[in-house]
Amino acid sequence: MTESIKDRVAIVGMGCTKFGELWDKSAVDLTVEAAYEAFQDAGVGPDDIQAAWFGTFYGLTSFGLSTPLKLQYKPVTRVENMCATGSDALRNACYAVAAGIYDVVLALGVEKIKDQGLSGLDVTGGGFPSSNVAPITTAPSVFAMAATKYFARYGLSPEEGKTMLAKIMVKNHHNGSLNPRAHFQRELTMDQVLNAPIIAWPLGLFDCCGVSDGAAAAIVVRAEDAKAFRSDPVFVKALQVCVGPGAGAMDNDYDYTHSEETYRAGLAAYAEAGIRNPRQEVSMAEVHDCFSITEAIVMEDLQFSPRGRVKDDIDAGTFNLNAELPVQPDGGLKCFGHPIGASGLRMMYEMYKQLQGKAGPRQIKDPQIGLTHNMGGQPQAAAVSCLMVGL
Amino acid sequence: MAGFRSYGAYVPLHRIDRAEFNRAWGGFPLPGERSVASYDEDSITMAVEAAIDCLRGFDAKSVDGLYFATTTSPYKERLCASIIAAALDMRSDIRVMDTTGTLRAGTIAIGAALDAVNAGGADSVLVVVADCRMGAPAGTLEQALGDGAAALLVVRDGAAVEVRDSYSISDDFSGMWRADQDQFVRSWEDRMAHDVGYSAVLPRAMIGVMEKCGLSSDDVSKVVYDSPTDMRRHLRIAGELKIPPAKVQDSMFLTVGNTGSALASMMLVAALEEAKAGDTILFASHGNGADAFVLDVTPAIEAVGQRRAIARHLESKRMVKNYETYLRWRDLVTLEAAQRPPKPPTSLAALWRSGKDILCLYGVRCLNCGTPQYSTPTVFGGGNPTRVCVSCRAKDQFEPYCFADKKGTICTFTLDHLAASPDPPAAVSVIDFEGGGRAVFEMTDRDPDRITVGMPLEMTFRKLYTDRGIHNYYWKTRPVRC
């Protein structure tokens, strides 16, 4: 019998650095800053940490965490699951506590991408040596192909489709403008988004999220111990990861207009958390808006909008801050930025602060359930996490 | 009697107006336009295109040999014929040979293939000739040369074009040459180069074979012989042989340019497209001597099916935007590096292991559920043959299934301005193959403004890029050419 994680573990401390092009900070700086903010928030010190999970995509090995923090002979595991790395580090930490093995653990994700000196993400490296015949693809190009197909399938002209996507990014920039830790803190107009240079047709510059440096961390304890750490712990309601067979690019039946992994991770998370009507019961969400089209199709995959109809909700402002179902209250990947290994934990940081009523000018009124959706890979081949938390 | 059973050719989609060279450099403009191999084409890829054209309707596995002729081999030490044979999915127990080093390499290979079938060493040999020579920037040769390929299936029996006899001359004089380190063709003062290297030697071979066959110029229906980079000299030879200009096969100087060792064979293919049973063709080419053949067209010429050959390839064209594009495609200028990661190293081990899948685009078809499938080899897994069916998940129950000859339609695409490409934006297509199967490929020879979901596509063999001297050949999609 599969057991649920619901209300078995709690987050009692979190930290998150400012994200951005942090030329004057190293991965060590970011790791220490995120960890010590989380320690302080939870009222613990490094010696209280019994085990740790370290999420990084470009970094390597558990030393990336133990060395900066001078952790003393603790079990540390490096976690990598593409762009869903940070949330998977948190998931593993939660399971270890739920299993009753540890009382206090740390999950931390960090990335120092801007030291690479590249435009965009390097998606060529790693893995086993290959024959090198895979087509040239960049992160924008693989998501752009979902946009191309979405427009074609639902009969949107390029102008209609791009306008729909631009509204998402204007919303996220508005939210980001209220967030002092975000990489980008400037409002954008529709014209600015629509007239931006094309990166990968039909996606323009402002359809793409920031490539950033940053780190985020969480302290996880048993639910029954949580109140001993603080009066307002945040309880984990669901932890789901779904890794697909990676076959959308070879299977004629895949429609290229949805992420099956997201749909299934959402279904499983709702079941685990006891959610029957996601649109009504989820108070707010941080989803993986690496590109505008990703947020659009994820709204449908998470059952916030009917298939092919997300445009109606975007036009109605359903996902705006302080509207029916705020999505990306902190600005999302688009504005907060996307240091790969840290992003999942950054999403959780916003949900955590919102549930505690500490989100400042972005504060959502009386949220009960927050959802994070963290997506690695591509629409046709993804590793997706869907985590839910509440009071 | 031995001869040619089938023919095929290839002319790159792209042409450049010769006025573009004049715009860049001034000087003496030549008339017309020339073909330009795309950045991802070379002699091997063009040879594969011509060979596929030639083998339409034939089983490549029935052919006993492949001879490849070129003066622009991508390798000094590696047999290109084997790469081409692999891309064509030919048998491994075949004769292979590269002939090179002279503009006559194509007819030397034809002669050797005829000898092989006449001696009984093979029933059929596919001869493929391709060239992609470069003249140095600002020179006349840069304008005059062109890129292209031809293929002829040489057989002992059942020829559509019988070779009555041949005559060869060896002559060491070389008015044009490239030393082993030369990128561009060198030429002696052109009057002597043409006088001695062309005009003095080519007619001798043509007269030689006519005398062997007891043929008079009146008996010749068509005369096909390559041209130097000077059109007037070309026609002058026919005049010497008392053959009227109307019987001289066009040298394509105004449409394709001088395609080096491939020129004579491409001209022959163009002639065969219009040939009728009973025609007698005098065929010759020059280069450190000359080769000449007398050809008799038989009724079997009607059985050669429709080919893209020269006529349809010539009609299907797209003008290169400008001379700068030509410089970029030929890698003749150093451009600002894209701020993108370098290509990861190519693993020769992975290439070898997946050789068949990569070079002739083999996937598999599931014996349990019938689903054709191709798994693009990437650093994240994939590769062929896939071991577990994408549809029914049966393990290891497959038969080989070739996608190279399958057409398809665009499921979705993007135009990537971020990716480093010699022809930006990089077009990436997802193709749904007719009969089933889907894969992601770069899309080449495309007009970025005209790509649509549902557009018909076909596969084309191209060079991806080079790592430590390993040229990585693979397949791309392109809009159905013609």
Side-chain angles (χ1 to χ4, degrees), chain A residues 48-49 90 102 104 200 242 284 307 345:
Chain A
D48 297 317
I49 302 302
L90 176 60
Y102 304 112
V104 183
C242 178
M284 56 187 176
R307 285 270 174 235
L345 282 153

Side-chain angles (χ1 to χ4, degrees), chain A residues 29 55 57 90 156 184 192 301:
Chain A
D29 295 326
F57 179 74
L90 176 60
L156 301 175
F184 301 115
Q192 283 175 302
D301 291 329

